[in-house]
Amino acid sequence: YYLLVWQPHDYMKKNGFSMLEMIVVVAAVSVLLMVSVSSLQSAKLQASLSRVTFTFAQNVSRAQQLASSESPVFIQAVEQTIDGYGIYMDLTGSGNKQYVLYADAEPGNQAYEGTDHEIETINFSLSEPGIVIKEIQNISGNAVSINFTSGSLQTEITPLTVGQVNMVVVFALESDLSKTKSVSINTSGLIEVE
C-alpha cells in the first residue's frame, strides 16, 4: 500500500505575508474605519441637535421661572422695573443660529422691542456648529416673542397666527434639514420637546 502524504510546495513554506495579502488587509481595515468615522460624525450631530433643542426648552422655562419669581434686573448696578421675561427669535434679522433671553421693560408690551433689556444672547453656532433653526410654525412672519408676564404668568406669543394656541420651533441639522427636533410652546405656558 502506498500512503499519500501531502507535501507543501516550496512557495507555501515561506514565513510572512505576500504583498497582495497585505494590500487586501489594509483595504479592508480602511473601509471599516471610514464606515465607523462617518457613523461617529452622524451620531455627534444628532447629539448636538438634541442638546440645542433641550437647551432652548430650558431657556424658555428659565424665562418663565424668572417671571414667576418676579426677579429684578440690574443694569449698571441700578434695579430696573420690568413686567416680565421672554425669548425673542428673528430668523431674518439675527439669523437662524441664535435667540435672546430678555426682560420686558416697564411698561411692558408683552413682546420684545428695542427698549427691553437683553439678559443673554444664546448663539448656539459657537457651542454646537451644524445646527440651525429651520422654521417657526404657527406665527405670521419670521420673528417671534414668547413673553411671560410677571405676577399673572400670562403667556403671550407674538405674532401667533389667528386661531392657533401654540407655536413650534423646529431645529435641524444644517447639512440635512430633514433631521429635526422641535419645541412646542402654547399660550398656557406648556413647553414640550418633540
Side-chain angles (χ1 to χ4, degrees), residues 36-58:
S36 65
V37 166
S38 68
S39 296
L40 181 64
Q41 182 65 19
S42 176
K44 182 180 173 187
L45 283 172
Q46 286 289 354
S48 291
L49 180 59
S50 291
R51 277 191 300 272
V52 167
T53 304
F54 283 102
T55 300
F56 174 73
Q58 288 173 341

Side-chain angles (χ1 to χ4, degrees), residues 11-26:
Y11 69 87
M12 295 180 88
K13 289 183 181 178
K14 292 186 211 174
N15 290 332
F17 300 103
S18 71
M19 184 59 94
L20 181 60
E21 291 171 324
M22 187 62 82
I23 290 172
V24 168
V25 168
V26 168

Side-chain angles (χ1 to χ4, degrees), residues 163-181:
Q164 296 294 322
V165 293
N166 75 322
M167 56 149 309
V168 180
V169 180
V170 181
F171 295 92
L173 298 181
E174 194 168 25
S175 59
D176 184 358
L177 295 176
S178 68
K179 301 214 168 143
T180 63
K181 287 207 174 278

Side-chain angles (χ1 to χ4, degrees), residues 123-155:
N123 184 342
F124 54 85
S125 68
L126 303 174
S127 60
E128 305 289 353
I131 309 300
V132 296
I133 302 168
K134 178 181 176 184
E135 64 182 329
I136 306 171
Q137 298 173 352
N138 301 337
I139 65 163
S140 31
N142 288 318
V144 66
S145 292
I146 308 157
N147 194 84
F148 302 100
T149 305
S150 292
S152 70
L153 285 183
Q154 176 184 352
T155 303

